[in-house]
Amino acid sequence: MSLKRKMSRRREATGHLLEVVHDALPQAWHSRLASEIREAIPGLHALVHDDPRAAVAELRSWIEREPLPMFYNWLSAAHSALGEMDAVDEVVVENYRRNPHYLFARINYAELCIAGGDLAGAREALGDGFDIRRLLRGRKRVHITEVTGYFYAVGRYHVETGDLDAAHRAYELLKEAAPDAPPTRALRHMLRSRLRDTLSK
């Protein structure tokens, strides 16, 4: 059964259906940006991979002018590439504080909380009932990276709380959506490790 059909069955009662998109997902806010910012975005994104040190300086400058959520996201990625993990944490917290409606801000903050043992903070970031629809604020199209990021964080949260059945349900969604994606493989490894630990006791 396809992910779309699974999601459709689960949402029949409320009439909600999510369409998982693999190509670039157009954003309404993008067209409202100044042309200078729209033209700079591809180069800034490329700079994160090509020269993360330069990307940090450029993105901090742009954030002062236009604090876009994705600029924070790219800034944390640039710091991560440089091994500056304290700076990564600071940017993740700031992005979540300033942009709580940005799904990746919530995902990154939840993972930071999980790593630090703050499971209550992670649960708050992931939303009531671990329902991605509530965090999309009426949006019906969701990018595959949003799906994999969100359900990986949900699965990881459940592993940490010891609810392996719930973690496995998150893994099944990941496996259906993107069986070979790094988050899917990471959660599979986590579940297998936890199962081995349980059986060896």
Side-chain angles (χ1 to χ4, degrees), residues 26-43:
Q27 303 288 343
W29 55 263
H30 188 271
S31 62
R32 296 192 293 269
L33 296 174
S35 60
E36 180 187 13
I37 299 170
R38 290 200 306 270
E39 291 167 6
I41 284 174

Side-chain angles (χ1 to χ4, degrees), residues 1-190:
M1 182 184 299
S2 70
L3 178 65
K4 191 169 182 178
R5 285 184 63 196
K6 280 186 177 180
M7 288 186 167
S8 178
R9 283 191 174 185
R10 294 176 185 186
R11 291 161 177 76
E12 281 175 356
T14 57
H16 291 289
L17 175 66
L18 296 180
E19 178 188 354
V20 179
V21 177
H22 290 260
D23 297 322
L25 188 61
Q27 303 288 343
W29 55 263
H30 188 271
S31 62
R32 296 192 293 269
L33 296 174
S35 60
E36 180 187 13
I37 299 170
R38 290 200 306 270
E39 291 167 6
I41 284 174
L44 287 169
H45 186 255
L47 199 61
V48 172
H49 304 285
D50 298 339
D51 188 348
R53 179 70 61 195
V56 166
E58 283 287 322
L59 285 164
R60 288 197 178 278
S61 175
W62 277 101
I63 284 171
E64 289 180 7
R65 300 165 56 188
E66 187 70 45
L68 295 176
M70 67 182 181
F71 284 172
Y72 285 99
N73 210 31
W74 296 348
L75 179 59
S76 67
H79 279 302
S80 180
L82 295 167
E84 299 170 347
M85 303 316 292
D86 287 343
V88 171
D89 294 352
E90 290 173 7
V91 174
V92 166
V93 170
E94 181 66 7
N95 199 14
Y96 181 61
R97 185 185 71 80
R98 292 184 64 124
N99 304 295
H101 298 304
Y102 181 53
L103 185 60
F104 285 117
R106 285 182 167 270
I107 291 168
N108 292 337
Y109 184 75
E111 291 204 36
L112 179 63
C113 288
I114 292 168
D118 179 9
L119 296 180
R123 186 181 182 93
E124 180 182 337
L126 293 169
D128 291 337
F130 305 103
D131 187 346
I132 193 172
R133 294 168 300 166
R134 296 181 183 179
L135 303 182
L136 295 174
R137 305 173 71 199
R139 178 161 58 94
K140 296 295 193 292
R141 304 183 81 204
V142 58
H143 195 264
I144 186 63
T145 56
E146 293 176 303
V147 172
T148 56
Y150 182 78
F151 285 107
Y152 169 75
V154 168
R156 189 177 170 196
Y157 168 86
H158 287 307
V159 168
E160 292 301 318
T161 62
D163 189 347
L164 297 187
D165 287 340
H168 196 267
R169 287 194 295 273
Y171 169 68
E172 287 297 320
L173 279 171
L174 282 175
K175 187 171 69 170
E176 181 69 31
D180 298 319
T184 307
R185 295 197 301 267
L187 186 56
R188 178 169 61 240
H189 176 74
M190 201 176 298

